[in-house]
């Protein structure tokens, strides 16, 4: 793996800031920079692997690629950290600040959607589309849609759910190409699973096809070290469209309350 030095330095606040760091701080910063397997894969310049090569790596890890980000420290030798406690009645903002952070990818996606003049339902979908990866990465669109269904507009949940399937299928009409990231993650000769193919066939004829497609178009994954996006530009949209339960997410007895509790307390042993 090759790390772009200038990206790393910029992420850490520039040469001067790095010069002031002691070696432990530097090590921590490097660990944060390479905090996920996905980040490492994104930085790779190796040729694309085959499906067989991707599979051959499975028994080299002590975790599975589909594990949620909160549950595993993937950098070599890294340990998971003690998480800050959640407030008694947590809001979506608390989950962003204390469990999804830094959430750069979804914040950048939502910013791009806003810049591209998307509707508020789609901007909200972009903001939330990958956040369930804190819980589970495997089938993350389906998990996320379920997590958010009680609280967001129907079209937002639909867009979140099916962005995952549409990511596997190019659509030149929207300027969406099959991503190199997927060639790297799944293997060059990968064939999407049957449920993904079936959902794609369903979506092609669906009147809401465009909703998840627009999430894929604004799905922004790049290391942009200068981009420091906060949730603030999206507060009005969240406040207008997200039905925050007064008891707090996880305490509202909704069918998905346990999912929020698991994200709030991933260190519960049982
Ligand atoms: Fe996604
Ligand atoms: Fe994404």
């Amino acid at each position: 793996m090759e790390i772009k030095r200038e990206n790393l330095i910029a992420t850490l606040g520039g040469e001067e800031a790095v010069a002031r760091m002691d070696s432990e701080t530097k090590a921590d910063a490097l660990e944060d920079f390479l905090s996920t397997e996905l980040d490492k894969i994104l930085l790779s310049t190796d040729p694309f692997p085959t499906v067989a090569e991707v599979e051959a790596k499975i028994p080299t890890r002590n975790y599975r690629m589909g594990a949620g980000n909160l549950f595993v420290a993937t950098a070599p030798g890294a340990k998971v950290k003690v998480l800050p406690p959640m407030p008694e009645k947590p809001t979506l903002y608390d989950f962003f600040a204390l469990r999804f952070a830094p959430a750069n990818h979804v914040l950048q996606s939502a910013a791009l959607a806003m810049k591209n003049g998307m509707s508020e339902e789609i901007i909200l979908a972009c903001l939330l589309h990958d956040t369930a990866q804190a819980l589970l990465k495997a089938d993350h669109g389906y998990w996320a849609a379920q997590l958010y269904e009680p609280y967001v507009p129907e079209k937002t949940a639909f867009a979140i759910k099916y962005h995952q399937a549409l990511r596997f299928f190019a659509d030149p009409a929207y300027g969406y190409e099959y991503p190199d990231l997927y060639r790297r993650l799944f293997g060059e000769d990968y064939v999407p699973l049957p449920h993904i193919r079936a959902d794609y066939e369903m979506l092609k004829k669906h009147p809401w096809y465009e909703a998840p497609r627009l999430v894929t178009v604004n799905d922004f994954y790049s290391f942009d070290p200068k981009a420091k996006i906060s949730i603030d530009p999206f507060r009005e949209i969240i406040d207008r469209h997200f039905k925050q339960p007064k008891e707090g997410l996880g305490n509202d007895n909704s069918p998905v309350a346990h999912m929020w509790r698991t994200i709030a307390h991933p260190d519960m042993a049982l």
Side-chain angles (χ1 to χ4, degrees):
M1 179 193 50
E2 184 191 66
I3 299 169
K4 289 214 175 77
R5 187 177 185 276
E6 64 271 22
N7 282 3
L8 177 58
I9 301 282
T11 305
L12 303 183
E15 297 276 2
E16 225 174 283
V18 174
R20 282 198 302 269
M21 289 177 173
D22 61 34
S23 54
E24 197 183 330
T25 312
K26 270 185 210 158
D28 282 351
L30 179 64
E31 188 187 298
D32 284 346
F33 185 76
L34 299 175
S35 59
T36 69
E37 183 84 3
L38 185 59
D39 294 341
K40 281 184 270 172
I41 289 166
L42 276 163
L43 286 165
S44 169
T45 50
D46 299 340
F48 297 126
T50 62
V51 168
E53 284 164 346
V54 170
E55 275 184 18
K57 282 207 170 154
I58 294 171
T60 70
R61 300 189 187 98
N62 59 356
Y63 63 94
R64 299 196 186 276
M65 287 293 279
N69 291 326
L70 280 174
F71 294 86
V72 51
T74 58
K79 299 281 185 288
V80 295
K81 296 189 172 116
V82 174
L83 289 164
M86 295 291 285
E88 224 172 281
K89 297 175 180 177
T91 66
L92 181 64
Y93 296 111
D94 296 318
F95 276 92
F96 260 86
L98 303 172
R99 293 297 181 268
F100 302 154
N104 271 331
H105 167 62
V106 288
L107 290 167
Q108 288 184 46
S109 298
L112 184 61
M114 197 177 246
K115 190 174 134 213
N116 288 336
M118 297 292 114
S119 69
E120 296 195 344
E121 286 165 321
I122 297 302
I123 294 169
L124 184 61
C126 290
L127 182 68
L128 305 177
H129 77 283
D130 281 342
T131 52
Q133 290 189 22
L135 184 61
L136 268 164
K137 287 198 278 196
D139 249 345
H140 68 279
Y142 297 82
W143 282 96
Q146 190 179 2
L147 184 67
Y148 288 113
E149 247 155 29
Y151 312 106
V152 301
E154 202 182 337
K155 195 178 264 187
T156 299
F158 186 90
I160 293 171
K161 181 172 187 174
Y162 292 116
H163 90 274
Q164 187 195 327
L166 289 192
R167 283 282 264 151
F168 288 98
F169 301 96
D171 187 342
Y174 286 85
Y176 178 77
E177 291 172 9
Y178 187 81
D180 277 353
L181 170 64
Y182 280 30
R183 292 190 174 93
R184 240 172 239 302
L185 285 175
F186 295 95
E188 209 165 14
D189 48 339
Y190 182 73
V191 177
L193 289 170
H195 72 286
I196 296 287
R197 299 202 307 269
D199 279 347
Y200 175 56
E201 290 307 316
M202 176 279 288
L203 287 164
K204 280 199 284 190
K205 292 169 237 142
H206 198 287
W208 282 4
Y209 169 83
E210 186 168 82
R213 177 50 78 202
L214 290 174
V215 175
T216 70
V217 169
N218 292 283
D219 201 340
F220 186 76
Y221 219 113
S222 83
F223 257 113
D224 186 351
K226 285 181 203 123
K228 282 222 164 57
I229 300 172
S230 89
I231 201 160
D232 291 342
F234 313 110
R235 281 183 189 268
E236 277 179 33
I237 292 175
I238 294 169
D239 294 344
R240 250 197 300 280
H241 299 287
F242 190 87
K243 294 190 211 96
Q244 171 65 42
K246 59 180 184 326
E247 310 89 331
L249 288 162
N251 306 329
D252 58 342
N253 269 326
S254 84
V256 298
H258 62 289
M259 291 165 68
W260 289 100
R261 289 195 300 268
T262 303
I263 298 171
H265 308 288
D267 288 298
M268 274 193 290
L270 289 171

